[in-house]
């Protein structure tokens, strides 16, 4: 089965866990860019989603979301994604996945990814060097089909998890591929200003 247009909505999983080691252990989700936290930016980017799960510590949010801590703890982004998928209350044809540290993603990003995924099993944002970003959409049934057992999730990379799937790569528009791993990254992103959708 491959993705078709006319989806009856999609779910979203925001990856907001991790240790933030390059930020001195600071919680990335609470960092502010343009007067909003990175988590608020992420939730804005998936405003079209029918259900949202945030993998990370619970904080107040403007829209209803489900919070969960990845299992195993600090097991990596693939473990976070699969933990988030497991707590979805409903089943959607596709799941949008994004890292909380990419404040230039917009609803338009995920509309483009869904459009590009038609005829494939998903689509992923890939920068000019071909590096796949933690911003993609994937067919739920195919993700379920390739997931490892619980023990196999620990330390598994998202790239390895998605390797068997037919994902089309989509070039970023503007600063969509920018992420914040260091305080220097934060200064650079803030100085560029917000993306225009």
């Amino acid at each position: 089965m491959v993705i078709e247009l006319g989806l009856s909505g999609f779910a979203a999983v925001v990856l907001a866990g991790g240790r933030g080691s390059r930020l001195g252990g600071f919680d990335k989700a609470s960092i502010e860019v343009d007067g909003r936290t990175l988590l608020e930016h992420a939730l804005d980017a998936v405003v079209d989603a029918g259900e949202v799960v945030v993998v990370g510590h619970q904080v107040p949010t403007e829209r209803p979301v489900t919070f969960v801590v990845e299992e195993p703890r600090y097991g990596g982004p693939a473990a976070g994604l699969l933990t988030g998928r497991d707590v979805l209350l409903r089943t959607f044809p596709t799941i949008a996945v994004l890292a909380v540290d990419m404040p230039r993603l917009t609803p338009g990003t995920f509309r483009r990814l869904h459009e590009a995924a038609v005829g494939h099993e998903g689509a992923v944002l890939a920068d000019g060097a071909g590096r796949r970003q933690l911003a993609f959409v994937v067919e739920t049934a195919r993700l379920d089909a390739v997931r490892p057992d619980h023990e196999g999730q620990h330390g598994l990379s998202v790239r390895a998890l998605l390797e068997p799937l037919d994902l089309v790569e989509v070039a970023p528009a503007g600063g969509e591929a920018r992420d914040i791993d260091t305080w220097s990254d934060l200064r650079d992103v803030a100085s560029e200003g917000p993306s225009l959708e």
Side-chain angles (χ1 to χ4, degrees):
M1 181 177 166
V2 294
I3 292 174
E4 300 177 2
L5 280 179
L7 296 176
S8 56
F10 64 93
V13 174
V14 179
L15 302 175
R19 293 185 171 92
S21 55
R22 285 187 279 179
L23 291 168
F26 201 84
D27 176 29
K28 279 188 180 182
S30 64
I31 292 173
E32 290 194 5
V33 175
D34 306 328
R36 292 178 66 75
T37 67
L38 289 181
L39 179 56
E40 288 171 327
H41 281 286
L43 296 180
D44 289 346
V46 291
V47 69
D48 296 330
E51 184 179 347
V52 180
V53 172
V54 176
V55 183
H57 295 296
Q58 185 164 352
V59 295
T61 57
E62 295 175 358
R63 66 179 289 187
V65 302
T66 300
F67 283 89
V68 66
V69 176
E70 72 269 26
E71 180 61 39
R73 190 75 175 110
Y74 300 122
L81 162 57
L82 296 173
T83 300
R85 186 268 175 271
D86 287 343
V87 300
L88 287 168
L89 300 176
R90 293 179 287 157
T91 299
F92 292 82
T94 60
I95 298 174
V97 181
L98 65 159
V100 76
D101 64 355
M102 300 181 71
R104 299 313 183 205
L105 297 176
T106 70
T109 307
F110 290 96
R111 293 179 196 129
R112 286 187 6 256
L113 287 171
H114 271 109
E115 290 168 1
V118 173
H120 302 272
E121 295 170 336
V124 58
L125 206 65
D127 66 17
R131 290 186 295 267
R132 290 185 170 188
Q133 307 298 305
L134 280 176
F136 59 91
V137 299
V138 62
E139 184 184 330
T140 306
R142 289 297 295 135
L143 176 65
D144 291 344
V146 301
R147 66 179 298 167
D149 60 20
H150 183 72
E151 185 176 336
Q153 296 177 24
H154 186 77
L156 180 69
S157 71
V158 170
R159 176 175 287 276
L161 173 66
L162 301 179
E163 185 64 34
L165 303 182
D166 172 27
L167 302 185
V168 62
E169 295 184 349
V170 176
E176 286 175 332
R178 294 297 302 268
D179 61 3
I180 295 174
D181 286 325
T182 66
W183 294 115
S184 176
D185 292 339
L186 175 61
R187 287 191 296 271
D188 291 344
V189 169
S191 69
E192 292 169 357
S195 298
L196 297 177
E197 188 177 343

